[in-house]
Amino acid sequence: MLPTDLLMFRVKAGLVQPRVLNPTPGNRQLTELLIQTFQSSLGRQRAQLEDELKLLEAGRSDYRVLRGLAHILATDHSEFETGSLTDPASVRSRVFELVQAHPPSRLRRGAVLAQVAATLGQTPEEIDRLLYADLPGEQLLTRFEPPEPEALLTRFNLAQAQGMLYRAYSLIITARRNEPARYKQLLKYTKLFGLMVTVEGDADTGFTLTMDGPTSLFGGTTRYGLALAKFLPALLHVTKWDLTAALKPRRDLAWVDPADEEWTFELTSEDGYVSHYPEPKEHDSALESGFEERFHKLGSPWRLEREVDLVPVPGGVIIPDFRLVHPDGRSVLLEIVGYWRPEYLIKKFELLRRSGRTDVIVAVSERLNLERAGVGVQDFGERVLFFKGVLDPKRVLALAEPLLAETGD
Amino acid sequence: MTAVLRLDRGTLTMREVPEVVRHLFTWDARSQSYRAPGRSYREVSELLRGHLVAYRDEAASFEPLELRFARTITPYPHQQEALTAWKRAGRQGTVVLPTGAGKTLVAQLAMQATPRSTLICVPTLDLLHQWYSGLLSAFPDASVGLLGGGSRDETPILVSTYDSAAIHAEELSGRYALIIFDEAHHLPGDFTRAIAELSVAPYRLGLTATPKRSDGRERDLDTLIGPVVYQRRPDELRGDTLADYREVQLMVRLSDHEQQHYQELIETRNRFLAKAGIRLGSLDGWKAFVMQSGSPEGRRAMLAHREARSLAYGTEGKLRVLEELLASHAHDRTLIFTDDNATVYRVSRDFLIPAITHQTPVKERHALLQRFRSGEYRVLVTSRVLNEGVDVPEASVAIVLSGTATEREHIQRLGRILRRAEGKQAVLYEVVTEGTSEERVSQQRRGQWRPAAAPDVAAEVWEQVNASD
């Protein structure tokens, strides 16, 4: 991610467009030049590297592009260290100790440095250099892992898009039908970053996910902007969505129209941004992948889809593991519960009750102690299925047929 | 069913809201519950209790503390008055006292009088460590911890930087009954105000020398902490707790070569300003300049402006003056202030004077300050890091080599030496370059605040000082 002053964007009719670097020969050349500059600075002072970068900047109107790229190289691909066996702090304390005998004066400088040098077995010039060798500017570039020029460009583009969200106070994602196993990951990330999600819609018309945080209720706050920015790379793993974010305008910039009340940032899954977060795993348990395998062996005319449906409930969302689609297009949802704690099951059934949906089958492993654990499921009747060991797809389909009839369009 | 008051990431939530507090809550469809900002906790609790509504409080997790005060110090009248005024205001409010007037003791007395889990927010790492060691000696048996500067403790008494407290505002929101905002004018910032908004703390104390902010948001302190409950100016306290001092302004001239270069730079800048129709000298003009410095031309002008400024601030002439001043105060504890880090390190390298900037490692800065206090080091050079409230006892000479025009800085720098030093009069030297913009900056700096019993403000030319001392 980039600091605010390195963000580049245009605003057209309230719509924010972050800067995008395409892999043109010119841009590729620029990234290569920067990567080379870093590489040739290995073992040298950070200040020297910065001076060289300044030289590259000189006369360029797009110097902030260069700085942004350099920022990514310096923070994500480099390591800076003092690079000295003698601790500069101890040199300082030696020098300052010795200098106390007299009022400080530039005239006595040489003599003091020579005196310290003699006790430490070094030259006065070395002492001079060591004095503040631990300052950031004087630290040495000790490691540099060069990225591919194109990877650097995509990283830059993503960082610019993320930066647009720093000032976001709400974010709405319209999700179209998706590939498996992505929504769960998405919700995991929203939880991780302390965000709240409101889900509306259904599988046919598409879903709307509104994201903000607890205090957003009392008025637009940009407090969750950073969390939304960090969340964006996770969203990029989900296919088929459109994003709209409401932003607080940057009033500190001269070219910004002071009359602007709100800006909008829009993005879709087809805009070509690339995530650097690891890909989510397809299956979260062997139970589900086993079921999927057995289902396919069955050769049934039903189609099995994984985690494509969101079931909105007041104050939350359920993502059933499977959707069973009948050849005529109607469908039933299936949730498989492998290992469970009573509180978990109680909550799950409570959520299902609140959703008001009657087309969800819940398969629970081991019925033992269900009653004793205080999990009442009477009102779910046929829609609860208990199994031991493996879940037989035939049993599920047998349950699914009548549910189709009941929920029929 | 008993109503339950819960805490969710800095907000209060209730499934069922009793009628008497309904107006403080908003229905939240996202969570299917009623929600209110953490800040409303006190009002909610008072109303519920006042109307004898039965409820269970799961929001607050602060606790009473056994605080044995190990200080035998007798507070000055103004400290006692400040405490009384704060208590009378329901333990919510801001105390305005000049630097050096013992705000920390007021805070410790407030803690002793309100023995509950306490969070203390400070703006700098220096203050973080100063408060930490101060609290350890005031309350030796208490469990005191740090948040920020590499530490992440979870103690019933926690000293934190504003930044760290704002980052962790959600987690901290229910844990503290009392929050002390040191240098409270930092609080109303966009990011930091969340500390006050999300916290349930029913008791809040703000401390500052001047609540004023350049964006005018000091007004928000009334709701974030509480109104100003007690206020004293430096001249009202001088002779009581503060040492007498005098100000001496020293003018230095740029060398011919420096003067010529300075003129060139200023012309470069002015050409751009004229073309862009910007008039400096007002806040808006300066803002416009900063905003336009994105274009290549504007950037060149801004760079010229900066170089001219550093020429005016860091000129060789000033270092010559510094050399003389240091020689003439060969035994006085002396603090040197400069505007920028580059000059700090130049002075430190050239004169071999210990330096403190925001880049100084925490342990080292702690050690440097301790050695300065103990007298082991007599002279320190620093940029702005020591401006605010850091206790540097008995410094009797301050040399301001350069500075910015804000009122705040000047007062705090003055405050730095406003300490009784064994009957000795403190001196503040301000070294200003003649014929540069710095003259105006200096006037502005003094213009906004004049002590009633004005000390001698002598504008002397450098050579004369040499003769008089």
Side-chain angles (χ1 to χ4, degrees):
Chain A
M1 296 211 282
L2 291 168
T4 304
D5 61 327
L6 293 182
L7 297 178
M8 303 176 75
F9 55 96
R10 287 188 302 187
V11 184
K12 274 192 175 169
L15 207 62
V16 176
Q17 299 168 328
R19 181 64 176 264
V20 174
L21 296 184
N22 292 312
T24 59
N27 282 335
R28 220 178 290 217
Q29 212 186 339
L30 176 61
T31 51
E32 275 165 19
L33 183 65
L34 283 171
I35 290 168
Q36 274 167 20
T37 307
F38 270 76
Q39 239 156 357
S40 65
S41 295
L42 262 171
R44 294 165 62 196
Q45 285 190 349
R46 187 176 192 138
Q48 280 175 296
L49 169 63
E50 277 164 5
D51 282 348
E52 276 188 42
L53 292 171
K54 258 193 202 119
L55 281 181
L56 293 179
E57 274 178 29
R60 291 185 72 124
S61 57
D62 64 342
Y63 66 94
R64 288 200 301 158
V65 167
L66 197 141
R67 271 193 207 172
L69 291 167
H71 180 90
I72 293 170
L73 289 176
T75 49
D76 295 346
H77 300 274
S78 306
E79 238 168 62
F80 296 92
E81 280 163 359
T82 299
S84 156
L85 288 177
T86 314
D87 176 22
S90 68
V91 172
R92 282 196 288 276
S93 107
R94 243 344 207 304
V95 168
F96 295 147
E97 202 181 293
L98 268 176
V99 89
Q100 294 303 320
H102 305 274
S105 162
R106 286 186 287 184
L107 303 173
R108 295 191 53 249
R109 182 173 197 274
V112 173
L113 289 183
Q115 206 179 341
V116 175
T119 62
L120 292 176
Q122 273 160 318
T123 66
E125 291 74 28
E126 277 170 332
I127 296 300
D128 195 7
R129 193 190 71 76
L130 274 174
L131 199 57
Y132 282 112
D134 50 349
L135 282 181
E138 299 197 18
Q139 289 188 353
L140 309 177
L141 176 61
T142 54
R143 205 177 58 85
F144 177 65
E145 281 173 7
E148 291 299 322
E150 277 201 29
L152 181 56
L153 290 175
T154 47
R155 192 68 182 268
F156 175 90
N157 293 340
L158 175 59
Q160 291 290 351
Q162 284 180 287
M164 296 304 101
L165 296 175
Y166 294 168
R167 297 175 66 78
Y169 52 88
S170 95
L171 188 149
I172 296 169
I173 298 163
T174 313
R176 296 166 253 146
R177 282 176 58 88
N178 260 296
E179 282 165 18
R182 304 296 207 208
Y183 283 129
K184 273 200 178 159
Q185 184 72 10
L186 198 74
L187 294 182
K188 250 184 228 160
Y189 271 106
T190 56
K191 261 208 187 116
L192 181 69
F193 297 132
L195 295 167
M196 290 179 84
V197 194
T198 315
V199 182
E200 283 165 310
D202 58 58
D204 298 323
T205 58
F207 297 100
T208 309
L209 291 87
T210 309
M211 301 210 186
D212 48 21
T215 62
S216 307
L217 186 68
F218 312 114
T221 169
T222 54
R223 178 161 181 84
Y224 308 106
L226 191 64
L228 292 170
K230 287 182 189 161
F231 166 77
L232 183 61
L235 178 64
L236 290 174
H237 283 309
V238 183
T239 53
K240 298 174 189 165
W241 47 261
D242 308 289
L243 171 156
T244 308
L247 317 180
K248 210 169 148 190
R250 284 277 302 275
R251 299 205 187 279
D252 55 324
L253 300 171
W255 52 270
V256 167
D257 186 347
D260 280 6
E261 289 286 324
E262 180 185 296
W263 285 349
T264 308
F265 174 51
E266 293 181 349
L267 204 67
T268 78
S269 47
E270 286 82 42
D271 284 344
Y273 287 96
V274 182
S275 179
H276 58 283
Y277 288 5
E279 288 253 355
K281 286 200 195 86
E282 282 271 315
H283 293 283
D284 44 10
S285 85
L287 204 62
E288 286 140 36
S289 56
F291 176 78
E292 198 170 11
E293 225 168 84
R294 284 189 297 281
F295 188 93
H296 288 310
K297 274 188 195 151
L298 211 60
S300 152
W302 288 70
R303 209 171 65 244
L304 190 69
E305 291 177 348
R306 270 196 63 94
E307 292 181 5
V308 290
D309 221 341
L310 298 174
V311 179
V313 294
V317 62
I318 307 169
I319 307 175
D321 299 315
F322 294 102
R323 184 177 193 228
L324 296 148
V325 189
H326 192 266
D328 69 9
R330 288 180 297 161
S331 62
V332 167
L333 300 173
L334 170 66
E335 175 77 357
I336 306 177
V337 184
Y339 308 97
W340 52 268
R341 282 172 291 112
E343 312 83 64
Y344 171 76
L345 265 194
I346 291 171
K347 200 178 165 202
K348 180 138 260 170
F349 283 110
E350 176 54 36
L351 280 175
L352 282 170
R353 271 184 205 106
R354 271 203 264 155
S355 77
R357 297 274 288 251
T358 53
D359 58 345
V360 187
I361 297 171
V362 189
V364 185
S365 109
E366 307 287 340
R367 71 189 310 161
L368 288 170
N369 297 327
L370 202 61
E371 299 292 334
R372 212 190 301 160
V375 187
V377 296
Q378 291 80 2
D379 53 330
F380 281 81
E382 288 293 293
R383 288 179 287 130
V384 185
L385 184 158
F386 298 98
F387 66 97
K388 253 189 177 168
V390 295
L391 175 62
D392 184 352
K394 280 186 210 154
R395 291 183 60 203
V396 177
L397 284 178
L399 270 188
E401 286 283 357
L403 282 181
L404 271 184
E406 278 170 38
T407 55
D409 294 338
Chain B
M1 210 173 84
T2 316
V4 184
L5 185 65
R6 291 195 173 84
L7 189 66
D8 174 23
R9 289 164 282 178
T11 56
L12 301 171
T13 61
M14 292 192 100
R15 290 239 167 266
E16 314 283 338
V17 180
E19 202 50 48
V20 289
V21 292
R22 171 152 263 158
H23 63 286
L24 297 172
F25 283 81
T26 311
W27 170 250
D28 190 346
R30 302 171 301 175
S31 53
Q32 298 286 299
S33 60
Y34 291 90
R35 201 179 286 272
R39 172 82 183 96
S40 333
Y41 175 80
R42 176 149 172 186
E43 205 179 342
V44 169
S45 311
E46 283 177 352
L47 280 170
L48 290 175
R49 284 183 208 173
H51 289 80
L52 303 173
V53 178
Y55 73 105
R56 197 163 72 240
D57 184 347
E58 289 183 3
S61 54
F62 45 75
E63 47 192 271
L65 298 179
E66 285 272 338
L67 284 185
R68 246 182 43 80
F69 200 40
R71 291 253 154 97
T72 49
I73 192 165
T74 313
Y76 286 108
H78 68 269
Q79 290 168 323
Q80 193 57 55
E81 286 162 22
L83 178 71
T84 310
W86 178 73
K87 283 179 15 189
R88 232 175 252 151
R91 295 169 211 257
Q92 285 188 336
T94 303
V95 169
V96 180
L97 284 174
T99 311
K103 287 194 286 288
T104 312
L105 183 64
V106 175
Q108 290 176 354
L109 292 170
M111 287 174 71
Q112 189 201 12
T114 318
R116 300 280 182 282
S117 313
T118 302
L119 172 68
I120 297 116
C121 297
V122 301
T124 64
L125 291 176
D126 290 303
L127 281 167
L128 193 75
H129 283 268
Q130 182 178 309
W131 273 89
Y132 181 66
S133 43
L135 288 170
L136 282 181
S137 67
F139 306 109
D141 297 333
S143 163
V144 185
L146 291 172
L147 179 64
S151 304
R152 214 185 146 173
D153 301 332
E154 290 184 18
T155 43
I157 296 178
L158 187 69
V159 191
S160 170
T161 59
Y162 276 95
D163 276 346
S164 294
I167 290 169
H168 301 290
E170 276 89 355
E171 301 143 59
L172 299 175
S173 63
R175 288 196 211 144
Y176 297 96
L178 170 63
I179 307 190
I180 294 167
F181 298 99
D182 192 20
E183 309 292 345
H185 49 275
H186 284 272
L187 180 64
D190 266 339
F191 183 57
T192 42
R193 60 193 296 128
I195 305 167
E197 285 167 346
L198 302 192
S199 171
V200 305
Y203 314 118
R204 299 170 185 224
L205 170 64
L207 302 168
T208 182
T210 43
K212 233 171 134 175
R213 286 171 62 93
S214 56
D215 61 6
R217 286 208 270 182
E218 59 268 17
R219 267 172 273 121
D220 296 359
L221 289 176
D222 286 3
T223 48
L224 295 173
I225 301 173
V228 171
V229 292
Y230 188 79
Q231 184 161 19
R232 284 289 177 273
R233 290 207 321 267
D235 50 294
E236 294 176 284
L237 297 176
R238 187 172 312 135
D240 175 3
T241 56
L242 307 173
D244 282 330
Y245 68 99
R246 79 195 155 97
E247 280 182 72
V248 181
Q249 196 184 56
L250 304 169
M251 305 292 255
V252 296
R253 292 191 180 96
L254 296 178
S255 74
D256 288 349
H257 174 75
E258 285 169 334
Q259 185 67 45
Q260 196 189 337
H261 190 41
Y262 179 83
Q263 285 308 334
E264 284 164 11
L265 292 165
I266 291 298
E267 273 161 32
T268 304
R269 181 197 72 181
N270 288 350
R271 266 197 304 276
F272 171 78
L273 292 180
K275 212 173 126 194
I278 296 171
R279 288 172 56 115
L280 284 191
S282 68
L283 197 61
D284 284 346
W286 173 248
K287 235 176 171 170
F289 188 21
V290 172
M291 283 175 166
Q292 305 241 359
S293 62
S295 71
E297 265 198 323
R299 207 170 120 66
R300 216 171 300 130
M302 181 54 86
L303 288 178
H305 172 82
R306 287 216 191 108
E307 199 186 334
R309 200 181 59 163
S310 86
L311 202 59
Y313 285 169
T315 181
E316 182 58 29
K318 285 192 182 171
L319 296 187
R320 287 193 293 270
V321 171
L322 179 63
E323 181 105 44
E324 296 278 7
L325 281 177
L326 289 171
S328 55
H329 288 281
H331 301 289
D332 296 323
R333 200 156 304 175
T334 305
L335 281 171
I336 305 163
F337 293 97
T338 82
D339 179 58
D340 58 324
N341 283 350
T343 313
V344 172
Y345 284 113
R346 176 152 183 214
V347 169
S348 179
R349 276 176 195 283
D350 284 9
F351 291 84
L352 300 179
I353 293 170
I356 293 183
T357 71
H358 70 275
Q359 293 177 327
T360 310
V362 171
K363 261 179 144 177
E364 189 177 345
R365 100 178 41 201
H366 197 61
L368 284 175
L369 283 171
Q370 234 156 22
R371 284 185 191 145
F372 186 72
R373 267 181 217 121
S374 73
E376 205 177 320
Y377 292 166
R378 199 175 49 76
V379 188
L380 269 189
V381 57
T382 179
S383 52
R384 294 178 211 185
V385 288
L386 287 190
N387 276 1
E388 282 177 320
V390 174
D391 229 357
V392 183
E394 293 175 43
S396 55
V397 177
I399 303 170
V400 180
L401 284 184
S402 56
T404 56
T406 61
E407 177 193 13
R408 146 155 329 290
E409 211 173 14
H410 192 55
I411 291 181
Q412 276 153 351
R413 282 185 175 166
L414 278 177
R416 181 69 43 251
I417 54 164
L418 289 182
R419 285 178 192 281
R420 221 188 260 288
E422 290 149 33
K424 209 169 184 176
Q425 195 181 35
V427 200
L428 172 87
Y429 291 101
E430 191 185 11
V431 189
V432 179
T433 314
E434 224 177 12
T436 65
S437 65
E438 212 189 356
E439 261 181 294
R440 186 181 45 75
V441 167
S442 164
Q443 281 159 12
Q444 205 173 325
R445 180 153 72 211
R446 305 146 153 284
Q448 296 175 358
W449 177 71
R450 277 179 200 288
D456 308 331
V457 180
E460 297 171 59
V461 172
W462 166 237
E463 283 73 16
Q464 292 173 340
V465 170
N466 241 354
S468 70
D469 250 340

